[in-house]
Amino acid sequence: AALPCGGVISALVLTEAGAVWAAALDGSLRRFDPPTEQAEAAATRGVGVGVGAWIPGLALALAAAPLCAAVDEARDLVACGLADGSVALLVASNGTMIARWNAHGGSRARSVAFAHDSVWSGGADGTVRRRFLNAAVLSPGGGASAFDASRPIESLGPAHDGAVVGLVGRSDGLLVSGALDGSLRVWDVAPVEGSPKCLYGLLGYKVWLGSVATDDVRLIADGSDNCIIVHDFNFDAQGDLDEEEESNEDIDEDELDEDSLGIDSFLP
């Protein structure tokens, strides 16, 4: 099916429920709902034009061109990062504007993500910022609620040297940010004590990074070098060291006697 979007597509999101969200540089945000059995049957018979069996769900006009988007179906939320540096938070089911956050004044919001009870935004200035969601939003089904004004806005540091074009959360409290300078950073944003901190970064393996994704096991990044790089994101370094130490301790001491080592052959 051809889904008309009206302008240059700047972001696409495919949800678990099968809906397609498309943001365009003309300021539009559209949702196309997956085909029903009846619609698929009609399309098979040649009934319907343009979108085929897909159902146009929403068509919204935003205050500025959206450059990125993220959807949280469980909470009925959609967030768009805009060219004016702000982040728009909307109700996914009906398109109602809930709130607008000036995340990157004087710059552009190049990436956005829902993770760890928050909305995260990556800016063209290399910054990553966090805005906590109101508790009402965190309940299943969502609701028309805004950001949590009682909690401060957080900025992760140090900033990237390029525009942050990828943000993805991991279920164990980690957040990954990727920037056009080819850098990836892994942040602990749910520490037991203290503020969020950068655990480690990857730099030099990419000339130019385009996007980043993870399934909690692999960390995948693309770029302008015609390669997709896959890192093992499930590697427990300390766990492997502990296993190696236990393995060494399990060696039978009888196997290390003088005869087994051939020491006699070196004695006069």
Side-chain angles (χ1 to χ4, degrees):
L3 308 181
C5 296
V8 176
I9 303 299
S10 54
L12 279 175
V13 179
L14 177 63
T15 70
E16 292 186 4
V20 174
W21 288 82
L25 294 182
D26 63 355
S28 65
L29 176 67
R30 288 176 168 84
R31 189 191 76 222
F32 298 92
D33 296 324
T36 62
E37 293 182 2
Q38 294 83 357
E40 287 182 334
T44 301
R45 297 194 304 269
V47 179
V49 180
V51 297
W54 286 82
I55 304 169
L58 286 175
L60 309 173
L62 302 178
L67 304 179
C68 50
V71 179
D72 187 334
E73 287 183 308
R75 296 173 178 138
D76 196 22
L77 296 173
V78 57
C80 287
L82 308 182
D84 63 0
S86 66
V87 174
L89 186 65
L90 306 97
V91 178
S93 56
N94 58 27
T96 301
M97 177 71 71
I98 300 174
R100 192 172 171 189
W101 165 36
N102 185 18
H104 308 278
S107 186
R108 297 182 177 185
R110 293 295 309 274
S111 55
V112 66
F114 288 103
H116 315 304
D117 298 340
S118 308
V119 176
W120 298 85
S121 179
D125 56 1
T127 60
V128 177
R129 294 196 168 96
R130 175 189 205 174
R131 191 80 186 267
F132 288 94
L133 291 169
N134 192 307
V137 169
L138 303 182
S139 61
S145 183
F147 298 108
D148 189 346
S150 67
R151 305 186 70 173
I153 298 172
E154 292 183 347
S155 296
L156 302 185
H160 288 270
D161 290 331
V164 180
V165 293
L167 288 171
V168 59
R170 207 171 86 159
S171 59
D172 55 1
L174 300 184
L175 180 82
V176 181
S177 60
L180 286 181
D181 63 354
S183 64
L184 283 175
R185 288 183 182 160
V186 178
W187 310 83
D188 180 3
V189 297
V192 177
E193 295 180 355
S195 302
K197 59 183 178 181
C198 182
L199 299 179
Y200 58 89
L202 301 172
L203 184 64
Y205 73 99
K206 277 285 181 186
V207 176
W208 185 90
L209 186 144
S211 62
V212 59
T214 183
D215 59 359
D216 284 10
V217 176
R218 296 162 294 182
L219 182 59
I220 302 173
D222 69 357
S224 62
D225 54 2
N226 299 324
C227 291
I228 295 175
I229 304 296
V230 181
H231 289 93
D232 184 353
F233 205 29
N234 196 37
F235 177 71
D236 183 356
Q238 185 59 48
D240 284 356
L241 287 175
D242 292 342
E243 289 180 5
E244 184 176 349
E245 290 177 359
E246 291 177 2
S247 176
N248 291 336
E249 292 173 357
D250 290 339
I251 297 176
D252 190 344
E253 293 183 358
D254 292 339
E255 297 178 0
L256 300 179
D257 59 18
E258 292 183 354
D259 291 337
S260 64
L261 292 176
I263 294 178
D264 287 345
S265 62
F266 294 97
L267 295 177

